[in-house]
């Protein structure tokens, strides 16, 4: 497990380093960061949602799918609830800190580790978690809502009637009526969805390069990272243990709970003019820290 986790994290850090160097060399500027954000949020994420609905695992495991999605909603809502409990409302940059705790990096870090440890069934539950994350984060709009602190009807309406929602509705209808998209359509969709990791990591590297390093790795960043990796992970697992009885299923979610802050958080902070330096710092520290916390979580549970 250690080497699988280390390899996944090393691959991400290489992309972050590329972004850092390109910004320092002047090859990417602030406008470039925002342009890449737009490609990521409006195009690549939509493609990822469409690809997830066309996944063989979702089509071939009807009964397990119901449980997987149900557990995934419980898992995500538990982390969101814990973020509000652990971070005071009046704390400085509370919206960034809460987002760093509530949304973790299941797709890029946890999934390959779960595949190596638990096989196809573990990957299935991780896929369900990524699917639910996209719905909660983008469609319902909890990502932008938590980052901005706005809970207005306008913000909810904006997310419910976004391009991502349209794609999700179409993809859900295709799944319900068992309609497979032809390869000539799915091939470009797969290309676009595969941009998620590289663009997110390169953008994070650019954000780090544009910030004071003391703001990126500060005392508060270490504190929030500890809350993400240790406190919220343990509390989430203890709560899920009362609901999930199957050992493989529970341990899959325990592994997901102990992984790092999601790579979209620094990007969203930049998009909404929040403290992107702190978000990037939490992403970096938790990504390094989960090399230790993920194996430890397996020992505990």
């Amino acid at each position: 497990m250690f080497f699988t986790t280390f390899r996944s994290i090393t691959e991400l850090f290489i992309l972050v380093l590329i972004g850092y160097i390109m910004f320092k060399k002047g090859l990417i500027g602030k406008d470039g960061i925002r342009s890449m954000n737009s490609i990521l949020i409006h195009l690549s994420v939509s493609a990822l949602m469409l690809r997830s609905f066309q996944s063989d695992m979702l089509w071939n495991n009807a009964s397990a799918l119901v449980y997987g999605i149900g557990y995934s909603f419980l898992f995500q809502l538990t982390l969101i609830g814990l973020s509000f409990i652990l971070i005071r409302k009046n704390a400085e940059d509370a919206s960034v800190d809460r987002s760093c705790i509530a949304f973790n990096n299941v797709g890029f870090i946890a999934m390959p580790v779960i595949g190596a440890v638990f096989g196809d069934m573990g990957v299935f539950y991780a896929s369900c978690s990524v699917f639910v994350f996209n719905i909660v984060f983008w469609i319902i709009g909890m990502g932008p809502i938590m980052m901005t602190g706005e809970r207005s009807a306008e913000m909810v309406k904006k997310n419910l009637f976004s391009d991502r929602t349209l794609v999700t509705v179409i993809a859900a209808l295709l799944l319900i009526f068992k309609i497979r998209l032809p390869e000539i359509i799915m091939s470009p969709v797969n290309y676009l969805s595969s941009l998620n990791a590289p663009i997110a990591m390169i953008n994070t590297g650019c954000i780090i390069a544009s910030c004071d390093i003391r703001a990126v790795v500060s005392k508060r960043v270490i504190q929030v990272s500890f809350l993400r990796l240790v406190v919220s992970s343990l509390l989430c697992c203890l709560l899920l243990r009362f609901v999930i009885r199957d050992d493989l299923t529970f341990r899959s979610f325990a592994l997901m709970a102990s992984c790092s802050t999601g790579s979209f958080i620094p990007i969203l902070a930049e998009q909404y003019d929040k403290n992107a330096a702190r978000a990037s710092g939490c992403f970096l520290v938790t990504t390094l820290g989960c090399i230790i916390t993920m194996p430890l979580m397996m020992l505990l549970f």
Side-chain angles (χ1 to χ4, degrees), residues 105-275:
N105 210 349
V106 172
F108 299 146
I109 290 182
M111 191 174 291
V113 179
I114 288 173
V117 178
F118 299 119
D120 289 343
M121 207 60 208
V123 173
F124 172 77
Y125 286 118
S127 299
C128 290
S129 182
V130 171
F131 168 72
V132 168
F133 169 87
N134 286 326
I135 291 176
V136 173
F137 194 87
W138 295 113
I139 306 306
I140 298 175
M142 283 305 296
I145 288 171
M146 286 184 66
M147 185 62 71
T148 60
E150 296 180 22
R151 296 175 177 81
S152 62
E154 289 77 15
M155 175 65 78
V156 175
K157 182 179 178 181
K158 180 180 178 181
N159 286 287
L160 284 177
F161 294 95
S162 67
D163 47 1
R164 297 178 297 274
T165 305
L166 176 62
V167 170
T168 302
V169 170
I170 293 172
L173 290 173
L174 293 173
L175 177 63
I176 291 169
F177 292 105
K178 303 293 183 182
I179 300 173
R180 287 280 196 179
L181 291 175
E183 183 64 24
I184 195 171
I185 294 177
M186 284 308 300
S187 184
V189 167
N190 290 332
Y191 289 144
L192 289 171
S193 64
S194 67
L195 293 175
N196 273 277
I199 290 182
M201 296 303 104
I202 289 171
N203 253 15
T204 300
C206 292
I207 292 169
I208 292 169
S210 67
C211 300
D212 182 352
I213 192 65
R214 289 171 296 182
V216 173
V217 185
S218 62
K219 180 181 177 180
R220 183 57 179 168
V221 165
I222 302 299
Q223 291 172 342
V224 175
S225 298
F226 181 79
L227 292 175
R228 159 87 290 281
L229 290 176
V230 179
V231 179
S232 65
S233 298
L234 287 172
L235 291 174
C236 181
C237 289
L238 290 172
L239 291 170
L240 291 177
R241 180 77 276 187
F242 288 103
V243 179
I244 304 175
R245 297 301 179 185
D246 178 69
D247 189 57
L248 186 149
T249 305
F250 170 74
R251 297 188 79 205
S252 296
F253 280 97
L255 202 54
M256 288 184 248
S258 61
C259 71
S260 63
T261 292
S263 57
F264 273 108
I265 303 306
I267 292 167
L268 210 63
E270 179 74 21
Q271 188 84 1
Y272 289 103
D273 295 317
K274 298 296 181 179
N275 193 336

Side-chain angles (χ1 to χ4, degrees), residues 8 48 52 78 82 89 98 116 143 165 177 185 196 220 288:
S8 298
L48 181 64
S52 68
T78 298
L82 288 171
K89 182 179 180 180
R98 285 173 172 174
T165 305
F177 292 105
I185 294 177
N196 273 277
R220 183 57 179 168
L288 284 172

